[in-house]
């Protein structure tokens, strides 16, 4: 009986997990243009299916050239949509070009994004969308693909079409909602809209469904110093995120009595930082419960960039002592906090030109850590993020399914310049994150202290 019950529970768990949509990671590769995409299918009132493709291109990931008094970056985008199956039928093939322009060097480092959207009529089925971004100056390219399903229009079964997430920054006048392209959402997108399509194919039966917004318990702590104790398996930093521990922030029950389809929307404002799931469930048919969901995360205001005084202050934890950092984080006034950060750098380096270069390097690594290692929390807070910020990218990496080792010397046996990380859990559909934890050791005390002194003195530039 126990074996049968376990098998049934696992099957049910699988059926739910497979119906949870999750935005992609950044998949950042230094030196290459950054592209993020998403796609959603829907059926309009004329019973025609459409595919909506959204893309984000990061300004600072392109190569700029001077043109009169401006800096310009030219790029090309190629979009193909293929219907899955034996014939691999090509449904869409489109390309376009555009130019990004800036009147200062800020555009070179900007993490703001250029957004594009394309909509195509299609027929029911399963589709693969591939988008290629080409930087016309460097000729480097980035390719992303995503799968989308369109339900059959003549089906006799009722359905809920995939849930999509749209975001808007309300501080921008006349801003429109745009489809989110990643799991990680900066909190500057203070308005969220969730859309899904209810298709009622039962003429004499109302379609009832329940919506819930869940917030999961997750670790949000900053990585411990290299020489501290390892995390225990029972701790939250080791677990990372607890999908069995959540709060129900909102729940509602609605009914759709007409035959046909309708777009349902739910709006939320100013959700706090954390990891969420919006789920929709219908048990009209007791033998075939309908379930759809989307997972997402709210992170810092300008994530993955760091701009506000609070965003700039947090990562200084790695090169400040605990009392220094606690005092800094207790400052309430943003301008006062910014002044305190400036005083920290200048009082240690005592040369404004060198200090500016060191600050630029430090926060460039913080932003890289956010793109490379973010999971249920910001990448700079993770163990690999901490090592990347302090020591930079490694010379060599050994990777295995459940561990990786970073080498900062060609002597692979030097214990002070090799860092071994172990996965607390293997990435899977049940745990879709890489939670790498450093194997901490007392041997790291001296190299960590030396590296902190290099940052605080400005000697890091000589490395």
């Amino acid at each position: 009986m126990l074996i049968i019950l376990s098998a049934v529970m696992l099957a049910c768990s699988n059926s739910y997990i497979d119906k949870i949509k999750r935005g992609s990671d950044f998949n950042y590769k230094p030196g290459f243009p950054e592209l993020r995409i998403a796609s959603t299918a829907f059926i309009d009132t004329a019973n025609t299916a459409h595919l909506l493709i959204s893309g984000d291109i990061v300004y600072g990931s392109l190569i700029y050239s001077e043109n009169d008094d401006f800096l310009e970056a030219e790029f090309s985008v190629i979009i193909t949509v293929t219907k899955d199956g034996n014939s691999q039928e090509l449904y869409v093939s489109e390309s376009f070009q555009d130019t990004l322009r800036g009147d200062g060097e800020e555009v070179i480092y900007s993490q703001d994004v250029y957004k594009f959207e394309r909509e195509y009529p299609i027929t029911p089925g399963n589709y693969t969308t591939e988008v290629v971004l080409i930087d016309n100056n460097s000729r480097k390219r980035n390719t992303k693909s995503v799968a989308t399903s369109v339900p059959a229009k003549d089906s006799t079964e009722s359905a809920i079409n995939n849930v999509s997430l749209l975001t808007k920054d309300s501080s921008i006048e006349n801003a429109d909602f745009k489809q989110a392209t990643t799991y990680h959402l900066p909190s500057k997108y203070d308005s969220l809209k969730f859309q899904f399509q209810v298709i009622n194919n039962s003429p004499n039966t109302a379609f009832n469904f329940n919506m819930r917004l869940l917030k999961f318990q997750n670790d949000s702590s900053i990585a411990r110093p290299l020489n501290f104790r390892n995390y225990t398996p029972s701790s939250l930093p080791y677990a990372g995120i607890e999908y069995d521990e959540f709060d129900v922030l909102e729940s509602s029950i609605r009914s759709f009595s007409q035959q046909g389809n309708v777009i349902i929307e739910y709006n939320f404002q100013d959700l706090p930082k954390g990891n969420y799931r919006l789920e929709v469930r219908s048990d009209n048919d007791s033998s075939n419960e309908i379930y759809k969901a989307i997972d997402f995360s709210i992170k810092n205001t300008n994530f993955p960039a760091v701009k506000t005084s609070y965003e700039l202050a947090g990562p200084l934890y790695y090169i400040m002592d605990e009392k220094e950092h606690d005092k800094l984080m207790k400052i309430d006034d943003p301008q006062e906090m910014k002044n305190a950060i400036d005083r920290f750098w200048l009082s240690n380096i005592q040369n404004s030109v060198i200090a500016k270069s060191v600050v630029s390097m430090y926060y460039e690594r913080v932003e890289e850590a956010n793109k490379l290692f973010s999971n249920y929390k910001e990448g700079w807070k993770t163990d690999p993020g901490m090592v990347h910020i302090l020591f930079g990218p490694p010379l060599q990496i050994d990777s295995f399914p459940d561990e990786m080792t970073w080498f900062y010397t060609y002597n692979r046996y030097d214990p002070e310049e090799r860092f071994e990380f172990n996965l607390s859990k293997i990435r899977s559909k049940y745990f879709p994150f890489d939670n790498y934890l450093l194997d901490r050791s007392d041997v790291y005390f001296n190299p960590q202290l030396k590296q902190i002194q290099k940052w605080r003195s400005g000697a890091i530039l000589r490395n």
Side-chain angles (χ1 to χ4, degrees), residues 411-460:
N411 177 7
R412 297 166 64 89
Y413 299 100
D414 185 344
E416 292 190 355
E417 297 200 59
R418 56 175 283 160
F419 300 91
E420 185 173 309
F421 303 89
N422 298 290
L423 280 175
S424 64
K425 298 179 185 177
I426 299 295
R427 178 191 279 260
S428 68
K429 62 184 178 182
Y430 303 100
F431 188 84
F433 303 106
D434 286 329
N435 185 28
Y436 280 104
L437 300 177
L438 176 68
D439 186 8
R440 288 168 166 76
S441 170
D442 290 338
V443 76
Y444 293 137
F445 178 81
N446 284 332
Q448 177 181 239
L449 181 60
K450 289 177 182 177
Q451 204 70 8
I452 291 172
Q453 290 171 341
K454 288 177 182 178
W455 279 109
R456 293 177 67 120
S457 67
I460 193 72

Side-chain angles (χ1 to χ4, degrees), residues 31-243:
F32 283 77
E34 294 178 52
L35 171 68
R36 305 158 194 163
I37 66 168
S39 69
T40 302
F42 64 95
I43 299 172
D44 64 18
T45 54
N47 214 26
T48 301
H50 295 261
L51 184 66
L52 176 65
I53 300 170
S54 303
D56 291 347
I57 299 171
V58 179
Y59 277 79
S61 69
L62 301 175
I63 301 300
Y64 289 80
S65 59
E66 292 187 8
N67 187 358
D68 296 329
D69 294 329
F70 297 96
L71 292 173
E72 292 185 346
E74 297 181 355
F75 65 86
S76 302
V77 173
I78 303 170
I79 302 172
T80 57
V81 179
T82 306
K83 190 172 185 179
D84 299 347
N86 296 330
S87 62
Q88 287 289 305
E89 184 179 357
L90 183 65
Y91 249 71
V92 174
S93 180
E94 180 191 357
S95 63
F96 67 91
Q97 296 184 349
D98 208 340
T99 301
L100 303 184
R101 174 178 288 186
D103 56 3
E105 290 190 357
E106 293 81 6
V107 69
I108 297 175
Y109 308 102
S110 174
Q111 296 302 308
D112 293 337
V113 294
Y114 167 99
K115 292 181 176 290
F116 65 87
E117 286 191 341
R118 294 293 187 274
E119 186 177 314
Y120 306 104
I122 53 176
T123 58
N126 298 319
Y127 291 84
T128 298
T129 298
E130 182 180 88
V131 181
V132 181
L133 168 64
I134 304 171
D135 184 331
N136 292 349
N137 285 330
S138 69
R139 303 309 302 170
K140 291 183 177 180
R141 61 177 57 202
N142 194 345
T143 303
K144 301 292 181 188
S145 62
V146 63
T148 313
S149 296
V150 183
K153 292 179 289 185
D154 56 355
S155 172
T156 58
E157 295 183 355
S158 298
I160 297 174
N161 217 5
N162 285 337
V163 182
S164 63
L165 167 57
L166 297 90
T167 65
K168 183 175 74 171
D169 181 353
S170 299
S171 67
I172 300 176
E173 188 176 359
N174 299 322
D176 294 326
F177 279 100
K178 298 293 184 181
Q179 186 171 207
T181 58
T182 69
Y183 174 81
H184 315 282
L185 306 179
S187 58
K188 68 179 180 181
Y189 296 132
D190 53 351
S191 298
L192 305 184
K193 179 188 291 186
F194 296 88
Q195 290 183 337
F196 57 92
Q197 192 159 31
V198 172
I199 304 171
N200 185 9
N201 288 320
S202 300
N204 301 314
T205 305
F207 189 95
N208 304 312
F209 58 91
N210 169 246
M211 179 281 295
R212 295 198 307 172
L213 178 65
L214 313 179
K215 186 175 189 290
F216 298 104
Q217 181 181 354
N218 70 274
D219 169 51
S220 59
S221 62
I222 301 174
R224 291 177 180 175
L226 305 173
N227 60 303
F228 277 33
R229 296 189 307 274
N230 285 329
Y231 298 107
T232 60
S234 60
S235 66
L236 185 57
Y238 189 93
I241 184 170
E242 297 281 9
Y243 281 113

